[in-house]
Structures are given as structure tokens and as C-alpha cells.
Amino acid sequence: MTESLDALTSLVAGGGVVVLSGAGLSTESGIPDYRGPSGVARRHTPMTFQAFTRDPLARRRYWARSHLGWRLIARAEPNAGHRAVARLQRAGLVDAVITQNVDGLHSAAGSAPVVELHGRLDEVTCLDCGNLTSREELDRRMREANPDFVARVAAVNPDGDVDLPDEQVAAFRPVDCGICGTGMLKPDVVFFGETVPPQRVARCFALVEQARALLVLGSSLTVMSGRRFVIRAGKCGIPVAIVNQGPTRGDGYATVRVDAPLGELLPALADRVVGDADAGVTPLATAAGV
């Protein structure tokens, strides 16, 4: 791995890096991923936008599971990998972060700007009136509406829901919009079967096209939502580095490929390229005249 880390160090030290992160970056914060070494063996089909909006029973099932799963997501804290990315941004080596995650941990670690491709679980939108409220407020209202709801969480999934028996789901009572009174509430995230807002996608493409390098962290790039940015970088001749445990569908575009735990590799990478830059010492990129 030393040779790969050396190549990755050289690439990041040049600056102008855009990060594309996936669920693998948050596993060390206690949030499992789908397909990596700690991936969740899902026992139910991921919720689709169509099922959520058309089927009241499916919607009840989602909110019952998500009501419990949210408590675990809300307690999650940034790990060493998130903090290392933020450190690279502060040093001026990473220009922006595009994340496929909905946990908000990049921002919590101090990264900015962050484009949250699939939205955030800590915000809730009304599909009727468009009002946006905090998940904390919704959690309070759901607790009040379900004072006797008690269930044991067997496993939490990356999108914030949990495995829950049908008999426990049946006892749960969802709530409607607190502003318009009757509107359907949905977490402000992109569900399966739903498209990412075009302006958000366009912003991500612009960031990638202006980058000197694209650094993929903790994503198998299985779905096109994230893989399209790797493809665009490849077409533009922009170097792509991928750090992930296990193969990805973007490996063919990678000029640097490292298979290692992100919580170990990213702090080591930051130490190499930043050094004492946070204390006012010139980063390696500047010192090398890159």
C-alpha cells in the first residue's frame, strides 16, 4: 500500500481536489454501508418514491422504521476520515466535497463547501406546501403522537431506517405537515426512483470539470448517481483516485487505487500533505511550487 499512498500523496499535494464520498466514509461513525465489508444484509426492499407517495401502508412502515433509526443517525459523530477531509479543505488542497451520504457528517466535521447530492436526513419537507422543517421538530411531534410506541432496533441502515416487525409497524402513527395541516411529509433526501434536482447535478459536474483531480472516498460507485462524475472526469482527462475497501465500478477510470480503511489512511494522508499547515506552516503543495 505504500506505493499507492505515495501516488495518492503526490496527487492531493497538487491541490485543486474535489472529493466524492460515499457510505464507506461513515462506517466508522457507526453508520453501516450497503456493499462494503460492513455492509447491511437488508431484509426489506429500499423505499421508493412511488411507494412512499402512493401507498399509505408503505409510508407508515417507512416512518416507523425511520423514527427509530433517526435516533441512531442523530447521535453519530464525524470520524477521523471526515476530520481529515476537513483538514485538507482548510489547507486549501480540497476545493469542495460532493457527498452521496445523507448523514451531514462532513459539515459537522467542518468541511465547506459540501454539496449533499442526495439531501440530508435532518431536514423534512412537505410535498404539498413545500415547507422545510427540522427532523428534530418532527421527532418531537412523532413522540407526542406515539407515546406508547416501543420497539427494539435490530439493525440500522445507511438511509436511517431500521428493520422492524410488521406488528410493531402497525402500532405506529405518522403525522402530517405542522404548517398546512394535511400535507405529506418526506425526509429531504432523494429516494430510489426519484431524481436528484438538476441544478444540484449541474453544480457537481461544474465542480468536477474545474478540478485538478477527483478523489473518491468510500463509494463502490455501483449506482450512476455518483459514478457519472467519475465518468465525466475520465472524459475530461482529470485524474481520478479511488480509496475504497473492495472493488468499485469506477476502477477502470482510476489513475490511483488504494484499498484501505479510510479512518486510518486519510489522517495519514493529511499528515503527509498538510503537516503543520493548520498552525500556519506552508502546505506541501505550495512548498513544492505546484
Side-chain angles (χ1 to χ4, degrees), residues 4 16 32 75 131 157 257:
S4 298
R75 290 199 298 266
N131 184 67
N157 295 310
R257 178 70 171 90

Side-chain angles (χ1 to χ4, degrees), residues 99-231:
T99 184
Q100 300 171 87
N101 301 336
V102 295
D103 51 39
L105 292 179
H106 274 297
S107 296
S111 281
V114 178
V115 181
E116 284 149 332
L117 188 64
H118 298 148
R120 289 178 63 126
L121 273 175
D122 62 358
E123 295 180 335
V124 180
T125 184
C126 174
L127 296 182
D128 290 0
C129 72
N131 184 67
L132 194 67
T133 56
S134 72
R135 186 60 181 268
E136 182 179 356
E137 170 64 15
L138 177 64
D139 183 68
R140 181 191 64 78
R141 293 182 60 220
M142 283 190 167
R143 287 174 185 263
E144 291 176 352
N146 297 274
D148 300 320
F149 182 70
V150 178
R152 184 175 64 85
V153 176
V156 63
N157 295 310
D159 50 8
D161 69 350
V162 301
D163 297 326
L164 205 60
D166 289 343
E167 61 270 19
Q168 293 181 340
V169 169
F172 188 79
R173 179 189 169 201
V175 299
D176 294 323
C177 178
I179 302 300
C180 68
T182 59
M184 183 187 302
L185 294 178
K186 171 184 171 292
D188 196 27
V189 299
V190 178
F191 278 12
F192 286 87
E194 193 176 7
T195 58
V196 179
Q199 66 273 21
R200 197 179 299 167
V201 176
R203 183 184 177 193
C204 292
F205 275 132
L207 287 171
V208 170
E209 291 166 0
Q210 295 164 12
R212 195 189 62 81
L214 178 64
L215 175 58
V216 180
L217 302 175
S219 176
S220 64
L221 301 171
T222 299
V223 296
M224 184 57 74
S225 182
R227 190 165 75 252
R228 57 186 157 184
F229 303 119
V230 173
I231 294 172

Side-chain angles (χ1 to χ4, degrees), residues 273-290:
V273 297
V274 177
D276 295 324
D278 288 335
V281 178
T282 303
L284 178 59
T286 305
V290 178

